[in-house]
Amino acid sequence: MRSPLPRDHFRKPLLQTPFHPRIAALMQAEDWSNWGGYVSAHTIRDAEQEYFAIRNAASLFDLTPMVKYRIAGPEAEAFLDRLTVRDVSRLAPGRVQYTAWCDDDGHVLDDGTLFRLGTAEFRLCCQERHLNWLLDSAIGFDVEVAEETAEVAALALQGPTSRALLTRAGFDGIETLKPFQIRDVWFKHGKVTVSRTGFTGDLGYELFTAPEAALPLWDRLWEAGAWHGLQAIGYEALDLARLEAGFIVANGDFVTAETAIRVDRRRTPDEIGLGWLIDEKKPAYWTGKRAIQAQRRDRSACWCLVGLDIDGNVPADHAIVYHKGKAEAGQITAAAWSPSAKRNIALASLRRPYGDTVKDDLWVEIYALRELAYHKMMVRARVVDRPFYDPPRRRATPPAEF
């Protein structure tokens, strides 16, 4: 199998995506990070301005380092039905499915999006690399599995003006694209696969193309974006938007089963809020089914991942959650003051029954830095539904003009 990395990749500490020249030219903060072995922008100019571009105009984020697998062959559907917890036979060509997959003990290996590009061709996108697991799981199936991360350049175009921007850029008919739907668009330099998906909980699209067409695509969007408030953004702004949407991040809000060192750090779908994905009635057996069914039958799930509304305006980053201010109930996995929801929000992993049947009298221990000294605060927290912020434009078809 061909390696997704060039032979001399070790000569560079981090790889550069096809869009890197454009992002580097815009970079003012010099705030870079490592995302899956690639140079990725954490903040380009100002994280606050980049966040408001997501919510009030349009934003462009380099999605290329997201791990991508091509899965194709006569038994691709059967293989994915065995691999994932959802019924892939119900996923029509030209549609996208949010999904997850588990090990034999029912612990989550990762979550991601499954694109059905054709009758027997799929693209699986996720946070972590799982090629060995996918290849082992594919034994006995007439299917080909290959990582194509370096072979597919990707952008996330998100925000209320994103649809109008695509129309101005010549993406005819894009207004009819429904959420979780895919469409191929051709332009001078090649094909662009556009999906109405994203990680911001807002109106938005993801665009996939060949590396050689990456810069022309960026330039085309950038030129059209001058009319629609387009800004290039880094991960810090995206991370705030995804928290407002209530989305979780692998090895951030939960530890994937392959990377967990301690056994008690692994989680089943029901323990990280992904139980709704499970289709127990689908005909095919899926990996982890028996363990998850046994956990549900015995009501033995130990954890739950919940949204919290916290008093005050000091983010409770990685704070400990207590019941009645004394009994330790769990820990915050992500927290921020939400500019759009005007709330102090958080995601928390709590040990049941806290967050499940016991939701009252929860407190969060926050250490706030004030005048070079940390002040301990115990503030009240309430379990609330997610998402924290959910604009109607996210689902409207056609999207309104902005």
Side-chain angles (χ1 to χ4, degrees), residues 101-109 133 257 263 266-269 271 285-295 300:
W101 52 103
C102 305
D103 63 14
D104 292 325
D105 296 320
H107 298 119
V108 177
L109 288 163
W133 180 267
V263 174
R266 299 178 299 175
R267 299 288 186 266
T268 64
E271 293 177 323
Y285 173 81
W286 40 275
T287 305
K289 178 178 180 179
R290 294 190 185 94
I292 291 172
Q293 287 181 328
Q295 185 186 72
S300 58

Side-chain angles (χ1 to χ4, degrees), residues 228-243:
H228 300 283
L230 180 64
Q231 287 192 42
I233 68 167
Y235 181 75
E236 185 174 356
L238 182 73
D239 191 43
L240 175 53
R242 74 89 186 174
L243 175 57

Side-chain angles (χ1 to χ4, degrees), residues 255-275:
V255 179
T256 60
E258 279 189 321
T259 58
I261 298 176
R262 294 178 55 176
V263 174
D264 64 347
R265 294 293 187 264
R266 299 178 299 175
R267 299 288 186 266
T268 64
D270 288 324
E271 293 177 323
I272 58 172
L274 297 184

